[in-house]
Amino acid sequence: MIILLTNDDGYESEGIRTLERVLASYGHEIWVCAPSGNRSAQSHAMNIISPVKLTKYKDKHYHCSGTPTDCILYSLKANVFKSLPDCIISGINHGYNCSSDILYSGTCGAASEGVMHGIPSIALSAERGNDKEFCFESAATFVAKNIDKLLSLTTNDSFVNLNFPTPHTDKVVVSELGMISYSDTAIPIEESDGTITFRLASAGNVEKTIISDNTTDLHVASSGDISLSVIKIMPQLNHEKQEEAKRIFNA
């Protein structure tokens, strides 16, 4: 199988390098187009004004100056690989992409872009354990052993999102999405020229509180099991409010 890898942590990050090594050991042909550096929290952003540069660093391996979505968009639109991959895997991300975090995730944004191009796509994330290490090896091995099952769950409008705690059990729990409450605050820094610079006080280490029930992906992963959710790439309509809008504006 030909697998195109991308991520949002950058092409030199440990997660994607481990994933490539393990998948290749199972006989898959691996292509890579990943960001030149960290592009976390880029969501589905893409460059349509500034040019995007793809740099080849070995055969069928490129790093991209743009966002994770750019990696997929430009490598496929420009026919960089001369043919389409059988699937796209985005990750392994350094940290969970659960519940409302999915809205911000460049990892999930790249998987969504893959689906928009008609290519089965999977997003992978892992959380750091108490020993400060990530379970990249076991997560990559799980995906390699179960790739056919995982791809069977993808559709023309959905990708599979997996989150691995460190350590994790072998149990896969099909999980709901929830809302997360974030504890970060914006700290102002006054500059000498009168401008004010802001930085999130806990950027990269935000305390999160799940505000939904224990069927959500973050709760499942935090309990030690592997969380699996199949994510539609299009926003879902609020049909109740749609009908209310019709009553208000079509009266």
Side-chain angles (χ1 to χ4, degrees), residues 127-182:
E127 188 57 271
R128 192 189 303 270
N130 292 332
D131 59 359
K132 307 302 181 183
E133 298 297 322
F134 288 94
C135 62
F136 292 140
E137 190 79 23
S138 60
T141 300
F142 172 87
V143 172
K145 289 181 175 179
N146 293 280
I147 186 93
D148 290 333
K149 294 177 182 177
L150 294 171
L151 290 176
S152 73
L153 298 173
T154 65
T155 70
N156 61 3
D157 68 352
S158 305
F159 66 92
V160 170
N161 189 43
L162 288 162
N163 283 279
F164 296 84
T166 303
H168 58 80
T169 71
D170 293 330
K171 183 179 179 181
V172 178
V173 178
V174 179
S175 309
E176 301 294 328
L177 303 182
M179 292 293 293
I180 297 175
S181 174
Y182 303 88

